[in-house]
Amino acid sequence: MVQATPFVLVLFLALGAQGLSAKKCSLSGTWVNDLGSNMTISAVNANGDFTGIYFTAVSNTTEKIKKSPLLGSQHLPNELEQPTFGFTIHWSFSST
């Protein structure tokens, strides 16, 4: 079973740290957690929607791990000082 908690925590801390600088929050780019799982997020469009790819490095299956598409939404960055966001991952493989 893949545990998302460490990844979400690292992502939360990374975004929180950006709030300490003068820069605005930007989700676009590649995010990597301590376990080697990563996701690449495309640009956030004018409606706050974004897409990307998630690749988990953690698995208890013998199946080849494939990149999985993700879809998300962010509060419009110009409306909030620290916008929130959420996303879902459509797993490309499953052993359970």
Side-chain angles (χ1 to χ4, degrees), residues 42-88:
S42 65
V44 179
N45 71 19
N47 293 327
D49 301 322
F50 60 89
T51 59
I53 298 292
Y54 183 84
F55 183 78
T56 183
V58 181
S59 174
N60 66 350
T61 181
T62 56
E63 293 181 44
K64 182 178 179 183
I65 299 173
K66 300 177 185 174
K67 293 180 180 178
S68 300
L70 69 85
L71 180 63
S73 184
Q74 176 185 30
H75 281 108
L76 298 178
N78 57 352
E79 293 180 7
L80 297 171
E81 186 174 317
Q82 294 183 346
T84 58
F85 66 95
F87 61 89
T88 59

